[in-house]
Amino acid sequence: MAKKNLRIFAFGGNEVSPVGLKDPKTGKDLIPDIALQWQRTAQTCKLVADIIEKHPDDLYVMTHGNGPQVGNILLRAEYSRPILPSLPLDICGADSQGAMGYMMSLLASELQMRGIKRVVSALVTQVVVDKNDPDFQSPSKFVGPTYSKEEALERKAKDGWAVKCYKKDAEGKELWRRVVPSPVPTDIVEIDAIEALIGAGIIPITVGGGAFRSPWWSPRRRTAKRSTPATTASTSRRPRASRPRSIPASRRSSTRTWPRPCWAICCSNGPRPAAWSIR
């Protein structure tokens, strides 16, 4: 029996919805609309389908970033504050997971057109984080569109945002963005569901944006060595290589041993040979 690999594809949120785009006529910042996001998602799903077509028996997981998407959700919530309640960050994270999971499900259509019978399923997920993670004190996750330094500092003074310089544009001008906490996840709440989908040969779209921390969830089968969950929700990044996450045996629904995963960083607009970096 041929050995199966577990291949993990990570869509960059900034690739689906690029920041720093300029209107060629006015020079003003552009926020990519949904039509452009659909187009870029479709392009990347074709790249993913190419690999699945070459390795039909392997196991697959898809995940994604969500910085620009969460930032846009927050902006919509802010503009509607006169008539609607504000949205906490965990709700924004769940919103982005559902919407991006729906869009990334284009992969199922692409596979179907190629005669490949694989089910793709989006799963909203939560993570456990350490309430003492330093990122709560010094936020590092960029969300939303870019601003000039003056605009960013004005929003900091007016709305209490944490802001940082994101990068410099082609003319050397600083582009600033809002930042929110992004603590390192120590566990995935729905890990059993993810493993069940993989075991059934389904391709899950999961842990989008690193997932989020729900203030209502209480971890089960806690041990003294497990991290204490934070009460603050956040969009979080994939665990750093120096701090890998380990799921205790008691948290698994089966004794299945999964293959060592191959990480693939997806770029929707790059040339095909450079679009994948396996590590």
Side-chain angles (χ1 to χ4, degrees), residues 27-45:
K28 293 183 178 181
D29 290 334
L30 285 178
I31 298 178
D33 59 17
I34 295 299
L36 177 59
Q37 293 183 48
W38 272 116
Q39 181 183 21
R40 295 174 71 89
T41 301
Q43 291 171 355
T44 303
C45 284

Side-chain angles (χ1 to χ4, degrees), residues 39-54:
Q39 181 183 21
R40 295 174 71 89
T41 301
Q43 291 171 355
T44 303
C45 284
K46 291 180 184 292
L47 297 177
V48 174
D50 288 343
I51 292 180
I52 295 175
E53 192 170 27
K54 292 178 181 178

Side-chain angles (χ1 to χ4, degrees), residues 126-131 186-192 213-231 248 250-251:
Q126 306 167 77
V127 295
V128 179
V129 298
D130 188 339
K131 66 180 181 181
T186 61
D187 201 354
I188 302 172
V189 177
E190 294 82 5
I191 186 65
D192 295 337
R213 169 68 183 102
S214 170
W216 309 114
W217 182 79
S218 179
R220 56 192 171 93
R221 292 192 288 275
R222 293 277 299 279
T223 65
K225 295 183 179 180
R226 292 284 294 280
S227 299
T228 302
T231 55
S250 62
R251 288 280 288 117

